[in-house]
Amino acid sequence: MIDFNAFHKITYGLFIVSSGDRMKGNGFISNTVFQVTSDPPKFAVCCNKDNYTSGLIKNSGVFSVSVLEQETAPDILGRFGFRSGRDFNKLEGMSIRYGQTDVPIILNASIAFLECKVTQTVDTGTHLIFIGDLVQSEVLDKTKEPLTYLYYRQVKKGTAPKNAPTYIDKSKLETSKNVGQFKKYKCAACGYIYDEEKENIRFSDLPADWLCPVCGSEKSDFIEV
Amino acid sequence: MIDFNAFHKITYGLFIVSSGDRMKGNGFISNTVFQVTSDPPKFAVCCNKDNYTSGLIKNSGVFSVSVLEQETAPDILGRFGFRSGRDFNKLEGMSIRYGQTDVPIILNASIAFLECKVTQTVDTGTHLIFIGDLVQSEVLDKTKEPLTYLYYRQVKKGTAPKNAPTYIDKSKLETSKNVGQFKKYKCAACGYIYDEEKENIRFSDLPADWLCPVCGSEKSDFIEV
């Protein structure tokens, strides 16, 4: 038996993994960043092959990791987690530092960062694991706690996008209550579409304090389309 | 510049990763367990090549992950985290379930478990990353929170053993205060030796609420040897 609820007992942080150079860069929200050796310090990130950033890491051979603070604003999570760098320039207007390798490092909502040079790439099926030697690391804010995936799910009511290694089709977590026609609801603030068919949960069944995963607007700001 | 304090901003859980079969089994405390793909569900563990369990995973091709609860007793952390299965049978007296692959699954202090069959092994230098297809998973206790590495370090005052991917030589975190002779201190309860030379922190400089990492005894229970 596979109980998908067991997956939620594994603790992760939440990060922006970025790649590219001074001309073209992108980043995405990742929960799978981890140290693989201490001597020398090596770090790994796990990235869906379809992610725009995945191609940038392959081409440039570098990536950065920005460790998000606990109270990261929803627009940062929406910008980097639920939209694609193919559609718009995610880095525009962001606070960026370029690393020793010229990789962009996102400073918004970040309490620390790592900069790595890829030494190994592992194909795991839908995802690639990029393993890199640490080039530099720095703490940006000593006073703040890192955002954890649990906090994001429990307090922020956030979900994983389809490309995340930890994405769970909600129909696997509970018996689907969906019969008959599915509806779509649009966030009046940012235009995000909540699609009942994709989410497998009726919009009316979402908790009252559920927030738009892109911009953080309240449930009452959504209109049926 | 490499700031080792940045490494501590990366969030991890704490787990017992076990391997072997009904005849011979072992487990160790790991903080690097993560999901790598969702379809099919695959999980990875990172394991020092010198770890006894590492050899068992290579030989048996299976591993289990027990997700530890927040209030895991120090003797469980000491038994699986700071002692080697080469020296004694860690599984003796423990509550064990054998999985579909016959891999031992530790149930003590565990709120969920995963059982995996290795499909890929990645050599990263001092450590191996074992990637496995999920065979089964189960939640054992819905009511308890998982233990995080941060909670272990901050509340339990625990440290990483030398074989951990996240081990940090403390001299890299702060200017070493050690001049002159190093001393050793023995835990009167369990015999654990605190070696100032290895730890790079004077025993007297440890906080008053520091606990023996093996059995949880208080600092005052240690005697100079």
Side-chain angles (χ1 to χ4, degrees), chain A residues 3 34 42 120 123-124 137, chain B residues 3 34 42 120 123-124 137:
Chain A
D3 181 350
F34 45 93
K42 287 187 193 182
Q120 281 172 283
D123 188 333
T124 67
S137 60
Chain B
D3 181 349
F34 45 94
K42 287 188 192 182
Q120 281 171 283
D123 189 332
T124 67
S137 61

Side-chain angles (χ1 to χ4, degrees), chain B residues 154-170:
Chain B
Q154 287 187 345
V155 181
K156 301 280 191 188
K157 309 291 176 200
T159 58
K162 289 239 167 184
N163 277 357
T166 50
Y167 172 74
I168 296 178
D169 180 346
K170 288 189 189 59

Side-chain angles (χ1 to χ4, degrees), chain B residues 67-109:
Chain B
V67 181
L68 291 172
E69 60 158 307
Q70 193 167 63
E71 296 307 328
T72 296
D75 62 321
I76 294 284
L77 295 169
R79 185 184 190 95
F80 288 98
F82 288 87
R83 300 177 65 188
S84 173
R86 289 189 185 86
D87 306 329
F88 78 114
N89 181 1
K90 288 190 189 181
L91 304 194
E92 200 181 313
M94 293 291 108
S95 172
I96 311 276
R97 187 192 297 184
Y98 289 92
Q100 292 172 26
T101 65
D102 275 349
V103 71
I105 300 161
I106 316 285
L107 303 180
N108 304 66

Side-chain angles (χ1 to χ4, degrees), chain B residues 8-70:
Chain B
H8 279 161
K9 303 300 178 190
I10 299 179
T11 300
Y12 302 97
L14 276 172
F15 314 90
I16 301 176
V17 173
S18 307
S19 188
D21 54 30
R22 285 172 189 267
M23 300 297 289
K24 194 168 70 173
N26 195 52
F28 73 103
I29 302 281
S30 171
N31 63 321
T32 41
V33 169
F34 45 94
Q35 190 172 355
V36 291
T37 65
S38 65
D39 188 22
K42 287 188 192 182
F43 290 83
V45 297
C46 189
C47 184
N48 192 292
K49 288 177 181 175
D50 292 339
N51 269 7
Y52 183 53
T53 306
S54 194
L56 293 179
I57 299 178
K58 273 198 276 187
N59 290 336
S60 66
V62 291
F63 63 84
S64 72
V65 174
S66 304
V67 181
L68 291 172
E69 60 158 307
Q70 193 167 63

Side-chain angles (χ1 to χ4, degrees), chain A residues 67-95:
Chain A
V67 181
L68 291 172
E69 60 158 308
Q70 193 168 62
E71 297 307 329
T72 295
D75 62 320
I76 294 285
L77 296 169
R79 185 183 189 95
F80 288 98
F82 288 87
R83 300 178 66 188
S84 173
R86 286 189 188 88
D87 306 329
F88 78 114
N89 180 3
K90 288 191 191 180
L91 305 194
E92 200 181 311
M94 293 291 108
S95 172

